[in-house]
Amino acid sequence: MKIKEIAEKIEGKVITGEDRLDEVVEKGFAADLLSDVLALTEESSCLITGITGPQVIRVAEVLNIPLIIIARGKQPSKALVESARAAGIPVILTNKTVFETCGILYSNGMKPCKIKIFHGVADESSSFVD
Amino acid sequence: MWEEKFRLVYRVKPMDLASAGSASSQIKVELQRNGIEEDVVRKVGIICFEAEMNMILYSTGGKLKVEVWPDRIEILAEDDGPGIEDLQKAMEPGYSTAPPWAQDYGFGAGMGFPNMKQNSDVFDVETKPGEGTRIHSVVYRSKDNETP
């Protein structure tokens, strides 16, 4: 799906990277934990998130994330917008939730990105056994 | 013949979340500009980002150094303290001692060390509580060049 089609489907507003609207984004990943984005994603894919700080753009630069979608009506910080503009990374704002955004994109053919699975124990009280 | 090509050195300030990741993204740009392979750049970027975040969240400040060699990239992250109490636990996915304010920014999921290790070909950590931590990581540039 082209970035401009993504924006239309989720009734979003493109606020940066307007010159990249014809680029195609095929995969997506959703998280509010940048640690997880850094650790788990194995390929470049768009990020659907509620994070509004400039750190998200630095992560995007390091991981070649082609598009950031900020969901649930959250307003990005000025620093995020400035960083995104400087890095030339498109950012779309939408009032839809992360859940709905992902649902719309998935039903329009966007695929999940490949992830790494780390086997470990989250904490000692964890009783989940595989 | 096997000389170091160039090195990049950045100072990382403690608690400086506003510029978190800026050293790593600059490193990435420099490596790309110098024609380093894309997959290597991605790995080095991730390792640097995690090391940079660790210094911001936990240390009293430190230095992030990247050396470019013909066959490999060496990453050295050194800080002045306070060191890691339980390194074995810190290496476990999901174990974190991050303060709540870090988690508000989406960091502190306890994936830092596992992620650095996963992306490194060589990874070692020296730490001493009350002193400092030194992370050394190597990413080989191509399997053919790998030094035995």
Side-chain angles (χ1 to χ4, degrees):
Chain A
M1 228 182 318
K2 286 185 177 177
I3 292 177
K4 66 177 173 202
E5 292 163 348
I6 292 174
E8 278 164 26
K9 301 271 190 220
I10 60 173
E11 295 167 33
K13 186 175 151 207
V14 179
I15 58 160
T16 61
E18 294 87 346
D19 55 327
R20 294 177 61 181
L21 298 183
D22 285 323
E23 285 180 25
V24 173
V25 175
E26 289 173 341
K27 295 190 173 179
F29 183 79
D32 275 2
L33 261 180
L34 286 174
S35 294
D36 278 355
V37 182
L38 268 171
L40 307 182
T41 60
E42 282 205 277
E43 52 192 350
S44 131
S45 57
C46 85
L47 174 65
I48 300 126
T49 188
I51 308 170
T52 56
Q55 300 84 3
V56 71
I57 302 299
R58 311 233 171 78
V59 170
E61 285 182 276
V62 168
L63 299 179
N64 294 326
I65 290 176
L67 169 68
I68 306 280
I69 299 172
I70 298 178
R72 59 182 114 95
K74 296 192 92 174
Q75 289 304 303
S77 62
K78 218 173 124 200
L80 180 147
V81 178
E82 282 165 8
S83 299
R85 208 160 271 152
I89 296 174
V91 173
I92 298 176
L93 307 184
T94 177
N95 288 338
K96 297 189 184 300
T97 60
V98 167
F99 177 78
E100 192 180 358
T101 303
C102 292
I104 292 170
L105 298 180
Y106 187 84
S107 60
N108 279 281
M110 190 178 278
K111 296 282 177 240
C113 89
K114 217 162 65 184
I115 64 162
K116 277 175 228 152
I117 302 292
F118 284 82
H119 293 284
V121 189
D123 63 64
E124 274 139 20
S125 63
S126 169
S127 58
F128 178 78
V129 181
D130 204 19
Chain B
M1 192 169 66
W2 293 101
E3 277 174 359
E4 181 182 358
K5 289 194 163 171
F6 62 92
R7 67 171 70 182
L8 308 162
V9 183
Y10 295 88
R11 271 220 77 79
V12 181
K13 285 187 280 179
M15 314 281 279
D16 186 13
L17 262 184
S19 50
S22 55
S24 305
S25 46
Q26 286 171 52
I27 287 167
K28 191 204 162 176
V29 170
E30 283 302 317
L31 295 180
Q32 272 179 326
R33 195 160 59 199
N34 283 279
I36 309 298
E37 306 75 11
E38 255 324 299
D39 59 326
V40 174
V41 173
R42 182 183 167 92
K43 286 180 184 174
V44 173
I46 291 171
I47 296 162
C48 287
F49 204 111
E50 296 285 11
E52 188 181 354
M53 279 316 301
N54 274 5
M55 281 195 263
I56 290 169
L57 295 179
Y58 304 107
S59 85
T60 52
K63 214 163 51 179
L64 184 60
K65 192 166 81 178
V66 173
E67 295 175 358
V68 178
W69 294 77
D71 61 331
R72 67 191 191 279
I73 313 282
E74 299 252 355
I75 301 153
L76 196 66
E78 275 178 306
D79 67 51
D80 308 325
I84 300 163
E85 283 291 338
D86 191 337
L87 182 60
Q88 206 184 334
K89 271 207 165 314
M91 296 296 298
E92 283 174 18
Y95 178 80
S96 176
T97 58
W101 59 264
Q103 292 173 358
D104 291 344
Y105 287 88
F107 293 103
M111 297 304 285
F113 277 119
N115 196 22
M116 281 187 262
K117 192 176 174 189
Q118 165 96 31
N119 283 285
S120 303
D121 292 308
V122 176
F123 182 73
D124 51 85
V125 184
E126 283 169 40
T127 186
K128 210 167 181 189
E131 290 181 23
T133 301
R134 187 174 179 276
I135 296 168
H136 171 239
S137 158
V138 181
V139 177
Y140 290 116
R141 294 184 56 189
S142 97
K143 290 276 170 252
D144 309 334
N145 291 344
E146 222 168 282
T147 40

